[in-house]
Amino acid sequence: MIAENIKSLHDRIAERCIKVNRNPAEIKIIAVSKNFGVDEILKANKEGIYDFGENKAQDFDSKFVQLGNKVTWHFIGHLQRNKVRFVAGCANYIHSVDSLQIAMEINKRAERLDKVQKILLQIKTSAEETKSGITDEAEIMDIVSQCSEFRNIELSGLMTIAPLTEDKKLIRNSFNNLSKLKDKLTSKGIDIKELSMGMTDDFEIAIEEGATMLRIGTAIFGERDY
Ligand SMILES: *Cc1c(COP(=O)(O)O)cnc(C)c1O
């Protein structure tokens, strides 16, 4: 089933790319393997998926211990300061940096490990209460400029989660806000490479709005049991 799911996902991505004149090669699929085991990760890996996303520090840690750097790891969940040690230096990317404090903690940990940690800033791009991320533009600018001073952090991109709604306009708006923020930073000379946005229910809109990383769980692994 995973093999078929991945095939049809590639087809849908390619189809949408043709529509908006984008190259599918510039869009990375991150298979969100939360609540699934290492077996499933290996199955997806066999089908040509190399990037995996986890949202809980301890779950990530246990899978990382088993698989190490056989695959590329993306940490996508809310990260508390006391859990940074499980993630920094192990995950290739941390998508969910949402405060200066966490960035500082990651930098400190990466320095101790003599590594440069790639991070993305999680931005709240909609009014929805439940979504975490940075909202205030002055705060965003502050964190971005501080990050450029941190020697053991590389700011790779911006991440957002669209609101949970049927309203496609609201979803598009949210992704478009992230895209505009990237352009704004670019115009200030800050090169931001990645836009991490789009999940199973909204990745096609995200592609249209410039996503370079899609975080896809259900469409690859099926429904999650909680
Ligand atoms: C679970 C999760 C996803 C994937 O969700 P699906 O709807 O299953 O594709 C993407 N991003 C984050 C931050 C998640 O927690």
Side-chain angles (χ1 to χ4, degrees):
M1 191 181 78
I2 288 178
E4 285 154 39
N5 287 349
I6 290 169
K7 267 198 206 88
S8 81
L9 179 62
H10 279 304
D11 288 347
R12 284 171 68 187
I13 291 171
E15 230 171 87
R16 194 55 59 125
C17 280
I18 288 169
K19 259 195 179 159
V20 290
N21 216 358
R22 290 192 64 191
N23 180 357
E26 67 193 36
I27 298 171
K28 188 174 285 175
I29 298 171
I30 299 170
V32 178
S33 44
K34 64 185 185 194
N35 294 60
F36 288 96
V38 162
D39 287 358
E40 270 97 351
I41 292 179
L42 290 173
K43 273 185 210 159
N45 186 232
K46 237 180 77 196
E47 302 304 322
I49 298 286
Y50 303 101
D51 292 79
F52 293 87
E54 289 289 331
N55 72 332
K56 294 206 175 74
Q58 258 121 345
D59 291 351
F60 164 69
D61 185 51
S62 99
K63 291 174 190 172
F64 183 74
V65 166
Q66 297 174 72
L67 295 177
N69 294 311
K70 232 169 119 134
V71 300
T72 299
W73 293 104
H74 299 256
F75 191 79
I76 61 172
H78 182 69
L79 192 53
Q80 286 163 312
R81 273 179 79 181
N82 62 352
K83 302 278 174 63
V84 165
R85 66 180 195 282
F86 292 116
V87 177
C90 301
N92 301 75
Y93 293 84
I94 302 176
H95 290 231
S96 40
V97 176
D98 58 1
S99 71
L100 183 56
Q101 257 197 345
I102 285 292
M104 281 170 74
E105 198 68 29
I106 292 170
N107 184 59
K108 215 161 69 182
R109 178 72 184 164
E111 186 179 7
R112 208 171 297 150
L113 300 169
D114 197 24
K115 290 190 170 173
V116 175
Q117 178 67 58
K118 291 192 173 108
I119 66 160
L120 291 80
L121 295 182
Q122 184 172 351
I123 310 295
K124 189 174 157 188
T125 50
S126 71
E128 196 175 335
E129 278 306 315
T130 52
K131 296 285 175 281
S132 60
I134 318 159
T135 34
D136 182 63
E137 190 152 322
E139 190 187 349
I140 294 168
M141 293 305 168
D142 183 46
I143 297 178
V144 167
S145 89
Q146 301 259 11
C147 279
S148 67
E149 310 276 314
F150 292 148
R151 286 222 220 131
N152 297 79
I153 276 183
E154 180 184 324
L155 180 59
S156 300
L158 305 172
M159 179 271 227
T160 200
I161 302 173
L164 194 64
T165 170
E166 300 281 304
D167 188 341
K168 293 205 159 53
K169 254 165 74 184
L170 287 179
I171 294 170
R172 184 178 300 282
N173 217 1
S174 160
F175 293 151
N176 188 257
N177 283 339
L178 199 69
S179 233
K180 279 195 300 217
L181 179 60
K182 176 181 184 267
D183 293 344
K184 193 164 192 172
L185 291 170
T186 304
S187 75
K188 290 179 189 286
I190 300 149
D191 190 29
I192 298 278
K193 216 173 136 220
E194 310 288 356
L195 283 179
S196 166
M197 57 190 197
M199 313 184 359
T200 293
D201 289 334
D202 57 22
F203 72 83
E204 280 146 325
I205 303 173
I207 290 172
E208 293 182 354
E209 297 300 326
T212 62
M213 289 174 159
L214 309 176
R215 306 180 310 269
I216 311 282
T218 311
I220 292 175
F221 296 108
E223 295 289 339
R224 284 179 292 274
D225 278 336
Y226 285 98

